[in-house]
Amino acid sequence: AQKITQTQPGMFVQEKEAVTLDCTYDTSDQSYGLFWYKQPSSGEMIFLIYQGSYDEQNATEGRYSLNFQKARKSANLVISASQLGDSAMYFCAMSVGHSGSARQLTFGSGTQLTVLP
Amino acid sequence: DTAVSQTPKYLVTQMGNDKSIKCEQNLGHDTMYWYKQDSKKFLKIMFSYNNKELIINETVPNRFSPKSPDKAHLNLHINSLELGDSAVYFCASSRQGGRETQYFGPGTRLLVL
């Protein structure tokens, strides 16, 4: 069974500062993918960033980067230069499964990020 | 252009009724999913479906059934609605194999009275 743990129910950050949202995972599979999604108060789920288990370099997408530490089974999201619009719930998720099969996402409990002006 | 769309956005209904939620994706993906988000914001997979397999989360009551008329659509039928079914239901889609990022619809907020 797969498990995702997000230990920070809520986080505050000052505008323009960087913030790290923690995520640890547990799986016995060697092939897996790690995702971060953002859910603003409007409710939609927005894909942010992806890291594959075999990717040697940390993923980056604009102001988002994923600090992937495989030995520690962690996949923390780093948001640089926080903006007020970054205030939202952030979910870490994992997919496992073989190529060709439908990969279901297992989600963490989320971290509510509030960016302060 | 909406990549993954769901209708209706809001659904309020009485206990015991049967309802459907529709999902359509125009991304050309061949795998679709249904997730349930409860009142504590926890997201859980219900179904994943492509033309080869339907995977059902074992915790999903058999009152819930996915129906796919074609590759671009995966509808969710719910029979005999119960109070505990109140939640937000998200449809998602992805390609099969490789880096299968799942793209989510806007969600359907279901309230059972």
Side-chain angles (χ1 to χ4, degrees):
Chain A
Q2 294 76 43
K3 187 175 180 181
I4 293 281
T5 302
Q6 294 179 255
T7 57
Q8 305 154 315
M11 287 278 287
F12 292 89
V13 65
Q14 210 68 38
E15 196 178 6
K16 297 180 186 176
E17 291 186 351
V19 63
T20 298
L21 306 184
D22 294 343
C23 173
T24 58
Y25 62 91
D26 189 24
T27 180
S28 56
D29 282 70
Q30 297 301 309
S31 175
Y32 51 88
L34 296 157
F35 302 80
W36 279 91
Y37 286 85
K38 172 185 177 181
Q39 186 175 40
S41 57
S42 51
E44 69 268 33
M45 293 287 289
I46 302 168
F47 165 71
L48 295 179
I49 197 166
Y50 167 89
Q51 180 86 39
S53 58
Y54 294 118
D55 294 343
E56 294 186 352
Q57 298 218 341
N58 287 343
T60 60
E61 290 285 350
R63 293 186 299 111
Y64 304 108
S65 60
L66 200 153
N67 184 359
F68 181 45
Q69 298 188 39
K70 198 169 182 177
R72 290 185 167 186
K73 293 193 174 180
S74 73
N76 299 339
L77 177 70
V78 180
I79 306 174
S80 63
S82 296
Q83 302 172 355
L84 295 177
D86 293 335
S87 294
M89 181 75 93
Y90 288 80
F91 290 99
C92 180
M94 176 170 61
S95 71
V96 298
H98 301 291
S99 175
S101 67
R103 297 192 181 199
Q104 301 177 347
L105 288 174
T106 299
F107 283 87
S109 53
T111 295
Q112 181 69 47
L113 177 67
T114 303
V115 180
L116 303 171
Chain B
D1 287 344
T2 303
V4 184
S5 59
Q6 294 179 229
T7 53
K9 190 168 184 180
Y10 299 97
L11 185 54
V12 181
T13 187
Q14 297 287 331
M15 213 166 50
N17 284 349
D18 302 337
K19 289 293 178 185
S20 294
I21 305 172
K22 294 185 177 181
C23 176
E24 177 181 3
Q25 54 93 6
N26 62 6
L27 296 168
H29 290 164
D30 46 24
T31 305
M32 297 183 74
Y33 311 81
W34 278 104
Y35 290 86
K36 178 181 179 180
Q37 186 173 41
D38 63 22
S39 58
K40 295 184 178 178
K41 299 279 192 176
F42 188 69
L43 278 148
K44 196 168 186 180
I45 183 71
M46 300 177 71
F47 304 100
S48 59
Y49 181 79
N50 60 26
N51 59 356
K52 296 176 184 175
E53 63 182 345
L54 168 65
I55 300 175
I56 304 170
N57 185 312
E58 61 189 13
T59 66
V60 175
N62 57 15
R63 298 181 294 103
F64 291 79
S65 57
K67 289 191 173 29
S68 179
D70 56 57
K71 215 169 80 163
H73 297 83
L74 184 66
N75 303 326
L76 182 64
H77 295 270
I78 317 169
N79 295 324
S80 303
L81 277 155
E82 300 178 357
L83 295 176
D85 297 333
S86 294
V88 180
Y89 293 85
F90 285 98
C91 176
S93 73
S94 73
R95 289 182 300 170
Q96 192 170 279
R99 296 184 170 223
E100 315 91 353
T101 296
Q102 294 185 23
Y103 295 93
F104 283 72
T108 295
R109 284 141 188 84
L110 171 66
L111 178 60
V112 182
L113 303 174

